[in-house]
Amino acid sequence: MRVITGSARGVRLKTPDGMQTRPTADRVKEAVFSIIQFEIEGRKVLDLFAGTGQLGIEALSRGAEHAVFVDARREAVALVRENLKRTRLSDRAETVQGDYLDYLSRCRQTFDVILLDPPYAEVFLETALQKISEIDILSDGGIIICERPAEKPHPGQFPGLSAGKDYRYGKTLVTLYRKDSHREEP
């Protein structure tokens, strides 16, 4: 697993032992960042189910202003910190160990890009999308990138968010949601 492009291009990221973390395949990561390549630079990013931190690190490497990495497991957060040091991106990052719903419930920041790659077997994706929709932490026109297994149904519609098409990469589906822009009437 490596950083694909940007300031940390080619840096190999440390991966965990065991099966508790399922890193996004490089092919899927490359495709996702090709889709949103012009929407990363200078933006604030939330990597909500960080795991190794590779998605948020890729965003930072490509010019994101700041990234917050959240994971419930202590080992995952330590791994994210180590990978941030390897890539020399720690100064633009914040790591949080905690449950994703607890984090979202107390979140007071706004993000331009939210990366959601939760454990596949759970309903974390749907729950996270619902909570993000309710608490309004996505900037106008902001993007949520969701990864799920091909056999898992579409997460659905959520108030204030417009779902784009699904992109299929082997056994993985990626769905983009965009926050509806608030338009004031003249």
Side-chain angles (χ1 to χ4, degrees), residues 44-153:
K44 293 181 181 171
V45 175
L46 172 61
D47 190 344
L48 191 57
F49 301 91
T52 63
Q54 71 161 324
L55 294 175
I57 288 171
E58 187 71 37
L60 287 171
S61 180
R62 290 171 182 247
E65 177 185 319
H66 186 78
V68 176
F69 298 83
V70 179
D71 203 286
R73 293 180 297 107
R74 180 178 296 124
E75 304 81 28
V77 172
L79 188 60
V80 170
R81 288 182 180 138
E82 185 173 338
N83 283 331
L84 285 165
K85 285 180 189 169
R86 285 176 177 238
T87 56
R88 297 187 173 117
L89 295 169
S90 299
D91 61 327
R92 296 183 2 236
E94 175 187 347
T95 56
V96 177
Q97 182 193 344
D99 176 76
Y100 75 102
L101 278 177
D102 288 343
Y103 175 79
L104 290 174
S105 293
R106 65 185 197 301
C107 184
R108 301 295 175 255
Q109 297 183 57
T110 302
F111 298 95
D112 304 300
V113 178
I114 299 177
L115 305 165
L116 301 178
D117 184 13
Y120 281 176
E122 304 295 334
V123 294
F124 296 154
L125 180 59
E126 298 84 350
T127 306
L129 283 164
Q130 183 63 45
K131 189 67 172 177
I132 290 166
S133 169
E134 289 170 7
I135 63 173
D136 197 27
I137 62 167
L138 188 62
S139 63
D140 283 350
I143 303 168
I144 302 173
I145 298 148
C146 308
E147 187 176 325
R148 69 183 197 278
E151 64 274 4
K152 189 170 185 170

Side-chain angles (χ1 to χ4, degrees), residues 166-178:
D166 284 339
Y167 298 86
R168 186 179 184 128
Y169 305 99
K171 296 179 180 178
T172 302
L173 286 173
V174 175
T175 304
L176 271 64
Y177 284 85
R178 190 171 294 273

